[in-house]
Amino acid sequence: MNWQLPIVQKHHLAASAGDLTFVGGAGDLSAEGKVRHIDDFDAQIMGCIENLATSLAEQGCDLTDVVRLKAYYKSTGERDEWTVLASLQQHFSAQPAPAISLHPVPLQPFEHQLIQIQAIALKGWRELDDVRFVEADVPNGPASMFARPKITTGLRAGEFISVPAAVATDASGDVLSPGDGLAQSGIVMTKLGDILEALGAGLQDAVKMEGYYFGTTMDE
């Protein structure tokens, strides 16, 4: 099943506001808006990165300037998140890597689309005086998929701070308080607070927070 955006006019993939550059919805699409690599997830990741790089270049940036990356990929639970993360992170060899969030979704906007990515870039941020980051080790199982088995769990580039999606897991990747959404929320908020503190900030400094949870009722 797919849903189609009900628009026919062109839309802009990238724009800059002040020092920040935003790229939205980069996919493995041709100039005609068609998916180039049908049913090939790895090739679509490559296509996404290629189109992301093109959009960034139009704004005077490149992949090393990315501070935050979000990927929405089609999955009903069959795709291993570590495999997806490793496939994306390999395209960002400069250290630290950007803050990467992964979101599995059941649908994509275009037929045969399996993944799309969004990015925020800050040109030249690696040369700023105040660059701080927090990293976590990739668990032993999936570590072999990473050239450097570390992921960025928090990144500060000057006054811009990004913390990627956090989940209620321990250092080994095991889920804590399974089935208890309230307990997991507390674990996640504590984790976010600790990361922000290491970056010289706190939860009260947040200007945007996103939460994704399973549930269909207000009680949930």
Side-chain angles (χ1 to χ4, degrees), residues 191-204:
K191 185 182 294 188
L192 293 176
D194 290 343
I195 293 171
L196 287 170
E197 183 178 1
L199 298 175
L203 290 171
Q204 298 305 314

Side-chain angles (χ1 to χ4, degrees), residues 12-208:
H12 296 285
L13 287 178
S16 295
D19 294 330
L20 296 175
T21 292
F22 301 83
V23 179
D28 177 40
L29 301 175
S30 67
E32 293 73 34
K34 301 295 184 182
V35 173
R36 295 178 292 185
H37 300 93
I38 295 174
D39 297 328
D40 189 333
F41 189 72
D42 291 335
Q44 286 199 25
I45 287 179
M46 179 66 75
C48 285
I49 296 296
E50 290 174 353
N51 283 336
L52 170 62
T54 298
S55 295
L56 289 171
E58 292 174 352
Q59 300 296 317
C61 297
D62 59 34
L63 292 177
T64 65
D65 295 315
V66 175
V67 288
R68 194 205 74 178
L69 188 81
K70 282 188 179 182
Y72 296 86
Y73 63 99
K74 191 173 182 179
S75 176
T76 56
E78 76 278 8
R79 298 193 190 280
D80 177 67
E81 186 172 86
W82 288 111
T83 302
V84 178
L85 183 56
S87 296
L88 286 168
Q89 189 162 297
Q90 69 175 328
H91 298 285
F92 300 90
S93 56
Q95 301 301 324
I100 301 176
S101 295
L102 302 181
H103 301 296
V105 293
L107 301 174
Q108 289 285 353
F110 300 105
E111 187 176 8
H112 303 301
Q113 187 175 37
L114 300 176
I115 185 170
Q116 62 171 296
I117 57 179
Q118 302 174 356
I120 298 177
L122 178 61
K123 187 175 181 179
W125 68 266
R126 295 177 186 277
E127 306 302 321
L128 295 175
D129 292 333
D130 191 3
V131 174
R132 307 180 221 177
F133 58 95
V134 180
E135 290 184 314
D137 294 323
V138 177
N140 290 334
S144 61
M145 295 186 292
F146 291 76
R148 181 173 176 269
K150 298 276 189 179
I151 57 171
T152 300
T153 57
L155 177 61
R156 177 169 186 159
E159 292 302 301
F160 183 86
I161 297 175
S162 180
V163 178
V167 292
T169 55
D170 61 19
S172 299
D174 295 326
V175 175
L176 301 173
S177 299
D180 189 337
L182 290 178
Q184 289 186 4
S185 296
I187 293 168
V188 168
M189 293 302 290
T190 298
K191 185 182 294 188
L192 293 176
D194 290 343
I195 293 171
L196 287 170
E197 183 178 1
L199 298 175
L203 290 171
Q204 298 305 314
D205 296 309
V207 294
K208 181 181 181 183

